[in-house]
Amino acid sequence: SQRPGFRYTWIRADRGLFQSHMYIEHRMNLGVVDRKGVSDLTFLDLFLLRECAAFVGTFGSHFSKVAYELSVGQKGYFPPYASLDDPWSPLRPIASSRECAGLQCLGR
């Protein structure tokens, strides 16, 4: 049920393509999921999340960090947040600038 004073925004989308024991990046590379569908839904989620007045998520996830940092950038201040795992810290490259198992690492 909705609470007075709150505005709710959601999208109806099939999130089944994200349900797997395998990372979405690997499934996209294997052609198991539709790249356009994944990217469209990902960007839509990020743009909706940046509009939130407060953020509840997991900062162990780069996706959540990006969503929160987009919100900070748009608003010009740090909106209230609750992390369900790690404390917030600025997003930074996850590896030094070198090749990682045949993939280009962030930070290069």
Side-chain angles (χ1 to χ4, degrees):
S1 69
Q2 294 190 4
R3 299 182 60 125
F6 288 88
R7 184 180 66 128
Y8 296 86
T9 304
W10 66 90
I11 54 174
R12 292 178 203 257
D14 178 13
R15 297 193 178 274
L17 58 104
F18 294 106
Q19 302 300 318
S20 175
H21 66 281
M22 188 185 298
Y23 287 119
I24 190 75
E25 300 91 326
H26 298 301
R27 291 186 296 136
M28 284 182 5
N29 287 335
L30 293 171
V32 178
V33 294
D34 173 41
R35 288 175 178 261
K36 182 173 179 351
V38 169
S39 64
D40 288 352
L41 194 52
T42 299
F43 280 110
L44 185 56
D45 282 344
L46 285 173
F47 293 142
L48 287 174
L49 285 166
R50 80 173 178 192
E51 302 292 328
C52 295
F55 182 84
V56 176
T58 56
F59 286 142
S61 159
H62 276 72
F63 183 88
S64 291
K65 280 188 172 187
V66 167
Y68 185 70
E69 291 183 11
L70 283 171
S71 182
V72 170
Q74 181 180 23
K75 293 172 178 60
Y77 63 88
F78 290 87
Y81 67 87
S83 177
L84 303 177
D85 56 9
D86 300 334
W88 180 83
S89 63
L91 190 59
R92 58 190 174 280
I94 57 175
S96 62
S97 57
R98 57 179 161 65
E99 292 296 314
C100 297
L103 303 174
Q104 184 175 351
C105 297
L106 295 175
R108 183 176 244 195

